[in-house]
């Protein structure tokens, strides 16, 4: 019961702050609200007993990537952005996408409802040893190849960024 | 009556945690105020000055006078500032700095909580403190704060990588992220991790100084270039909050270094019974402190100061007598050793400030990216290889090898 209340509060915060992210005129304010969104999503991970995921969310997204976002946004000329139209006029396309997504989610929920009463638990119950080890074992045993491919992709992107930056300097 | 109250407190986990949090918060705030006084005093002695002398005997009440002065000052918000963000920024800094102490084990019998992602939580929450700096600098709507904030952001992001990589070496030895487990595993191995991971320790130490924006890496607030850096526009209590966050962060990195590398609350040689006499350390420390204060008081030319100092040294002797009572002695062992180690680190922070000239910005970036990070990576690879070859009990094995057993 308590967990449910906490879940509703956290999801309310993340949804409302996500709306603020796209409606604020000032880009820095948008970034601040995005930080709030990511943090409350981290809270939801914590409710699901995925404390490792929570820590990674805070370290990487909240503490790392969003700092760089802020960094870049501050260097951009905000006055120009202030005078531009905030939303472009593609209502029809957006509406279509939203409807498709809604239909998809509704269908999935409906199917689940027919099969059984409740959704399956998102995370299987783990031993108290903590799921840091579990995540590590899963990543480096069952999903070794995907992890390696993803890391090489990131490495390539990193080297590419460095080379592009260097070429500009020279 | 007392028994009943104690029983009630013990059976309500939330209340117990709250009491512990309040204690930790109060002690930390006191320590921070004292630390500012200590820094001014030690720096003064290093430069052949006397430092604060006017408020109270030997300027001891300066630690109290400064916060009061700052609280009474006007809280100025620049006219073109982003008001809400400007007001929020120092609060973010302070909250991030204090929140982390929830998972620091001050002693085997005193910590707020122990979670099995302890170290990751510390890295995550403490990295939030940077938002206070960036947002404070940006929302001031002024040049120097913005430049200071940008510098600070780049510096913190760079050195966080090196510090994180250095800490992974320790994790490989301890097999756990829980702070309590890390200390316990040092007891089991009989070695402080600083002896098994000296390179990681040096990297962490340098990165810690950079992450707390302390001299010689205090570029975000380099007075000669940036006035006061990111907090140029702040005044009164909000400035005090930034100040407090910086000193709390100093205490925090000292706590992490002590817990990970210097055996946390363990006394030196925790497994060797020859060194059991070390448990009388608290008594000796209190008595010598009392002696020092007495010697100081005898030399004081002012009569009221003489009386005060001699009374203070008497208090130290009374405390020492209290501590000599053996249950008390057992109970404070952990706290005593932890505090002693932290104070050494805090003194080192002041020492650096008194002796090293400030780095240039490109030098800072060079040290971080070209020296520390490759070194940390190499350390990590070597540690991992050793662990692979020698099995999960690598540390014990290599320790045995070193001793020739």
């Amino acid at each position: 019961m308590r967990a449910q209340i906490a879940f509703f509060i956290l999801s309310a915060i993340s949804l409302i702050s996500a709306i603020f992210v796209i409606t604020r005129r000032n880009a820095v304010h948008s970034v601040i609200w995005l930080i709030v969104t990511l943090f409350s999503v981290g809270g939801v991970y914590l409710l699901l007993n995925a404390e490792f995921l929570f820590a990674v969310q805070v370290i990487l997204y909240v503490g790392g990537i969003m700092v760089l976002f802020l960094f870049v946004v501050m260097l951009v000329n905000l006055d120009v952005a202030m005078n531009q139209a905030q939303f472009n006029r593609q209502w029809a396309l957006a509406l279509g996408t939203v409807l498709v997504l809604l239909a998809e989610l509704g269908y999935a929920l409906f199917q689940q409802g027919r099969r059984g009463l409740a959704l399956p638990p998102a995370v299987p119950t783990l031993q108290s040893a903590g799921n840091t080890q579990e995540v590590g074992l899963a990543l480096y045993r069952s999903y070794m190849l995907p992890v390696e491919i993803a890391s090489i992709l990131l490495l390539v992107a990193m080297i590419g960024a460095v080379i592009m930056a260097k070429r500009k300097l020279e | 009556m007392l028994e009943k109250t104690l029983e009630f407190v013990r059976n309500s986990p939330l209340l117990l945690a709250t009491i512990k949090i309040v204690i930790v918060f109060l002690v930390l705030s006191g320590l921070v105020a004292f630390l500012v006084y200590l820094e001014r005093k030690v720096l003064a002695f290093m430069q052949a000055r006397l430092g604060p002398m006017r408020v109270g005997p030997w300027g001891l009440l300066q630690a109290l006078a400064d916060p009061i002065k700052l609280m009474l000052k006007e809280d100025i918000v620049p006219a073109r500032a982003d008001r809400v963000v400007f007001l929020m920024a120092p609060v973010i800094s302070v909250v991030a700095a204090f929140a982390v102490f929830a998972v620091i084990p001050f002693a085997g019998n005193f910590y707020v909580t122990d979670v099995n992602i302890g170290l990751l939580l510390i890295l995550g929450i403490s990295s939030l403190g940077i938002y206070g700096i960036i947002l404070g600098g940006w929302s001031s709507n002024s040049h120097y704060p913005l430049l200071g904030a940008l510098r600070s952001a780049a510096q913190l992001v760079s050195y966080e990588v090196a510090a994180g990589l250095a800490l992974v070496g320790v994790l490989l030895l301890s097999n756990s992220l829980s702070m309590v487990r890390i200390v316990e595993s040092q007891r089991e191995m009989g070695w402080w991790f600083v002896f098994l991971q000296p390179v990681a320790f040096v990297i962490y130490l340098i990165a810690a100084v950079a992450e707390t924006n302390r001299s010689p890496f205090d570029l975000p607030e380099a007075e000669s270039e940036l006035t006061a850096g990111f907090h140029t526009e702040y005044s009164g209590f909000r400035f005090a909050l930034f100040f407090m966050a910086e000193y709390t962060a100093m205490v925090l990195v000292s706590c992490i270094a002590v817990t990970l590398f210097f055996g946390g609350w363990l006394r030196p040689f925790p497994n060797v019974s020859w060194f059991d006499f070390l448990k009388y350390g608290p008594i000796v420390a209190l008595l010598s402190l009392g002696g020092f204060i007495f010697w100081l008081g005898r030399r004081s030319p002012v009569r009221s100061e003489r009386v005060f100092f001699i009374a203070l040294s008497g208090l130290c002797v009374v405390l020492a007598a209290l501590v000599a009572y053996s249950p008390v002695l057992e109970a404070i062992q952990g706290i005593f050793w932890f505090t002693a180690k932290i104070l050494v680190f805090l003194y080192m922070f002041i020492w650096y400030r008194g002796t090293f000239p400030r780095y240039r910005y490109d030098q800072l970036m060079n040290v971080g990216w070209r020296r520390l990070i490759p070194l940390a990576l190499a350390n990590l690879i070597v540690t991992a290889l050793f662990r692979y070859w020698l099995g999960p009990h690598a540390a014990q094995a290599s320790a045995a090898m070193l001793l020739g057993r």
Side-chain angles (χ1 to χ4, degrees):
Chain A
M1 188 59 205
R2 255 191 217 165
Q4 221 155 24
I5 294 173
F7 172 76
F8 282 125
I9 292 174
L10 281 172
S11 19
I13 295 174
S14 61
L15 285 178
I16 293 169
S17 54
I19 292 173
F20 277 134
V21 173
I22 53 171
T23 53
R24 293 299 91 184
R25 282 212 148 256
N26 191 327
V28 173
H29 290 177
S30 291
V31 174
I32 296 173
W33 284 111
L34 189 53
I35 294 167
V36 176
T37 312
L38 290 171
F39 210 71
S40 47
V41 170
V44 175
Y45 290 153
L46 211 51
L47 278 180
L48 293 169
N49 287 328
E51 69 260 13
F52 179 71
L53 219 52
F54 163 75
V56 170
Q57 170 97 355
V58 172
I59 294 176
L60 287 187
Y61 283 93
V62 181
I65 294 177
M66 294 318 291
V67 173
L68 297 180
F69 263 53
L70 263 186
F71 205 88
V72 172
V73 165
M74 281 177 190
L75 295 176
V76 170
N77 194 350
L78 285 180
D79 298 337
V80 179
M82 286 283 205
N83 297 325
Q84 282 172 342
Q86 195 172 11
F87 298 101
N88 51 24
R89 288 159 212 277
Q90 291 178 331
W91 287 101
L93 194 65
L95 202 65
T97 322
V98 167
L99 283 180
V100 169
L101 187 67
L102 261 184
E104 208 175 328
L105 284 175
Y107 178 73
L109 282 175
F110 180 68
Q111 284 290 331
Q112 283 292 347
R114 272 209 324 199
R115 246 181 262 149
L117 279 175
L119 294 168
V123 175
T125 347
L126 298 160
Q127 319 113 293
S128 59
N131 56 16
T132 313
Q133 281 176 346
E134 304 280 327
V135 172
L137 287 178
L139 280 183
Y140 291 101
R141 287 211 176 132
S142 327
Y143 302 101
M144 186 71 188
L145 193 62
V147 168
E148 289 300 323
I149 292 175
S151 349
I152 288 184
L153 199 65
L154 286 175
L155 187 66
V156 169
M158 208 159 75
I159 295 173
V162 171
I163 287 178
M164 278 161 73
K166 271 200 110 168
R167 199 173 285 161
K168 236 181 203 170
L169 277 183
E170 285 158 5
Chain B
M1 185 61 206
L2 184 70
E3 301 248 312
K4 262 189 182 170
T5 325
L6 280 177
E7 192 63 25
F8 176 72
V9 169
R10 231 175 259 138
N11 288 334
S12 42
L14 277 180
L15 183 63
L16 190 62
T18 314
I19 292 173
K20 282 179 177 172
I21 290 170
V22 170
I23 293 175
V24 168
F25 179 73
L26 288 181
V27 171
L28 266 179
S29 321
L31 182 63
V32 164
F34 166 72
L35 194 59
V36 177
Y37 168 77
L38 188 75
E39 172 157 28
R40 293 179 64 180
K41 216 62 182 166
V42 171
L43 274 182
F45 286 140
M46 282 178 186
Q47 298 160 356
R49 297 182 285 125
L50 281 176
M53 288 296 278
R54 298 282 171 171
V55 193
W58 275 73
L60 265 172
L61 294 179
Q62 191 73 43
L64 212 65
D66 281 342
I68 292 175
K69 178 196 75 177
L70 284 169
M71 266 187 262
L72 294 177
K73 274 188 165 178
E74 187 187 350
D75 185 12
I76 300 169
V77 181
R80 301 273 319 264
D82 192 316
R83 202 178 158 82
V84 179
V85 181
F86 186 84
L87 298 183
M88 279 291 292
V91 181
I92 297 175
S93 268
V94 158
V95 169
F98 272 103
V100 186
F101 282 92
V103 293
I104 300 276
F106 298 99
N109 52 10
F110 188 80
Y111 46 86
V112 176
T113 180
D114 178 41
V115 292
N116 48 24
I117 49 161
L119 191 59
L120 287 180
L121 195 70
I122 289 177
L123 290 179
I125 305 290
S126 62
S127 67
L128 298 184
I130 189 180
Y131 285 118
I133 296 179
I134 303 188
L135 293 176
W138 172 79
S139 64
S140 306
N141 202 356
S142 163
H143 294 293
Y144 291 128
L146 185 63
L147 285 174
L150 288 179
R151 272 189 181 188
S152 173
Q155 178 175 332
L156 262 76
V157 169
S158 313
Y159 278 81
E160 232 166 46
V161 180
L165 284 173
L167 295 184
V168 177
V170 172
L171 296 185
L172 280 176
L173 295 181
S174 72
N175 283 331
S176 174
L177 287 165
S178 144
M179 297 296 271
V180 174
R181 268 305 304 158
I182 290 173
V183 177
E184 291 290 343
S185 63
Q186 294 182 64
R187 188 215 298 276
E188 283 156 21
M189 287 180 195
W191 285 84
W192 288 353
F193 284 151
V194 66
F195 299 115
L196 303 172
Q197 288 283 311
V199 182
F201 171 65
V202 172
I203 294 170
Y204 182 74
L205 194 64
I206 297 174
V209 178
E211 275 193 60
T212 44
N213 288 336
R214 290 283 304 179
S215 174
F217 300 122
D218 56 347
L219 288 146
E221 40 194 302
E223 301 90 349
S224 46
E225 308 159 30
L226 291 177
T227 334
F230 63 90
H231 57 58
T232 307
E233 303 289 346
Y234 280 89
S235 64
F237 194 57
R238 283 176 208 283
F239 167 74
L241 286 182
F242 269 131
F243 209 67
M244 215 162 125
E246 183 185 325
Y247 280 83
T248 313
M250 263 167 72
V251 179
L252 176 69
V253 292
S254 309
C255 286
I256 299 174
V258 165
T259 310
L260 292 182
F261 293 103
F262 283 86
W265 69 81
L266 304 175
R267 69 172 160 85
F269 305 100
N271 303 327
V272 187
S273 51
W274 278 10
F275 286 91
D276 270 350
F277 65 85
L278 279 174
K279 78 174 180 200
Y280 299 111
I283 306 173
V284 176
L286 274 172
L287 282 181
S288 47
L289 183 68
F292 174 68
I293 293 175
F294 185 76
W295 175 76
L296 215 63
R298 281 288 303 279
R299 296 192 331 154
S300 173
V302 187
R303 192 184 142 77
S304 60
E305 278 191 9
R306 257 199 316 271
V307 172
F308 173 80
F309 276 122
I310 289 170
L312 203 63
S313 68
L315 186 70
C316 282
V317 174
V318 171
L319 272 181
L322 182 72
V323 163
Y325 180 52
S326 72
V328 180
L329 191 60
E330 289 302 318
I332 65 158
Q333 281 294 317
I335 292 277
F336 172 75
W337 288 110
F338 194 79
T339 318
K341 292 173 191 173
I342 285 183
L343 287 180
V344 171
F345 271 92
L346 291 177
Y347 183 79
M348 264 157 58
F349 271 107
I350 301 172
W351 195 3
Y352 295 152
R353 182 164 169 195
T355 42
F356 288 128
R358 183 181 292 135
Y359 271 61
R360 231 172 39 224
Y361 197 67
D362 56 324
Q363 288 173 331
L364 173 93
M365 284 297 161
N366 263 339
V367 170
W369 287 100
R370 296 210 177 138
R371 303 274 185 282
L372 289 186
I373 292 180
L375 197 61
L377 278 173
N379 177 58
L380 188 57
I381 292 170
V382 171
T383 312
L385 280 179
F386 259 91
R387 249 212 70 166
Y388 180 69
W389 280 330
L390 302 172
H393 301 291
Q396 268 148 323
S398 54
M401 235 161 54
L402 279 174
L403 289 176
R405 266 189 259 147

